[in-house]
Amino acid sequence: MGVMHIPGHSHQAPREVALEEIEAVLGDCHLCQLYQSRHNIVFGVGNPRARVMFIGEAPGRNEDLQGEPFVGAAGEDLNGILPLAGLKREDVYIANVLKCRPPGNRNPRPEEVLACSPFLREQIRSIWPDIIVTLGNPATHFVLKTEIGITKLRGRFHQMGHFVVMPTFHPAAALRNPAWQELLEEDFKMLGDYLGRHPAPEDASE
């Protein structure tokens, strides 16, 4: 995982840099052309010490207007299925590969991912979750460094260094396809089972 230099840090070990410091470096970002059409940068939201981090593709219209990831219908769907994994929204951290909305919700372009992804890498390093849940193909391809489609990757866990990665459907896509929604819910139940069998160290000592 490449390291973006954060002022005031020379080593940047996992969990050393605060999310606020990364967001300060992001600032009023003009690293790609998406700044010209955005309303708000959507940095991320949630528990800075989350065991589970969710990564989506890019902000949509509601996210762009509100400055928060996964609001609107997709956010409601995500909030509704989190309990299947024994989780609440305040337990997890949610971010996207891109911090700005692509016009018309088109797919991220390679040069946009190249410009924006260092911030996501530093968010991951700051949170240092046990599990990364990738929502949809773009996030899955970025994290797992593969071009294999989500339908072939979902339904199991993948080890990527320190992280366990669970690819699954993006809630926005699942809302358009009831069969995918069922599979998405199955994956969240699988996630809950994994968390139950692999408690955090503080939980194990209770």
Side-chain angles (χ1 to χ4, degrees):
M1 187 184 292
V3 179
M4 168 188 283
H5 177 64
I6 306 296
H9 298 271
S10 57
H11 179 54
Q12 294 175 214
R15 296 184 175 171
E16 177 183 324
V17 177
L19 290 167
E20 292 81 5
E21 294 176 274
I22 302 166
E23 191 168 11
V25 173
L26 177 65
D28 183 28
C29 183
H30 287 194
L31 291 177
C32 78
Q33 295 304 306
L34 292 180
Y35 81 91
Q36 296 178 342
S37 56
R38 73 180 179 222
H39 288 90
N40 287 291
I41 292 176
V42 183
F43 180 71
V45 68
N47 183 347
R49 289 293 176 263
R51 289 194 70 200
V52 183
M53 181 175 182
F54 289 83
I55 299 176
E57 170 183 328
R61 180 177 180 273
N62 289 306
E63 288 80 7
D64 176 51
L65 292 174
Q66 297 184 41
E68 182 174 328
F70 284 86
V71 294
E76 290 177 10
D77 189 33
L78 179 62
N79 293 344
I81 60 178
L82 278 171
L84 296 176
L87 297 168
K88 303 183 294 293
R89 191 169 173 113
E90 55 264 33
D91 296 328
V92 304
Y93 193 87
I94 307 172
N96 286 303
V97 176
L98 296 190
K99 307 306 183 199
C100 298
R101 181 196 182 198
N105 291 351
R106 62 162 171 75
N107 286 335
R109 291 174 176 163
E111 65 271 18
E112 294 162 355
V113 174
L114 185 66
C116 205
S117 58
F119 298 102
L120 176 61
R121 290 193 188 98
E122 294 311 312
Q123 286 175 292
I124 294 171
R125 195 192 311 278
S126 176
I127 296 162
W128 209 244
D130 294 330
I131 302 172
I132 296 175
V133 179
T134 55
L135 301 168
N137 276 318
T140 300
H141 293 166
F142 173 75
V143 172
L144 290 182
K145 298 178 172 54
T146 182
E147 291 301 317
I148 299 173
I150 195 74
T151 54
K152 293 183 178 179
L153 292 170
R154 61 149 298 275
R156 65 186 190 276
F157 296 100
H158 305 254
Q159 193 74 42
M160 285 289 288
H162 164 82
F163 310 105
V164 172
V165 180
M166 190 190 89
T168 191
F169 295 105
H170 195 290
L175 287 173
R176 300 190 295 268
N177 187 325
W180 288 2
Q181 180 68 27
E182 289 182 15
L183 294 174
L184 177 63
E185 293 176 7
E186 284 182 15
D187 289 343
F188 272 62
K189 292 174 185 176
M190 181 180 72
L191 173 61
D193 178 68
Y194 181 94
L195 290 170
R197 290 185 290 106
H198 300 82
E202 58 268 27
D203 296 333
S205 63
E206 292 178 355

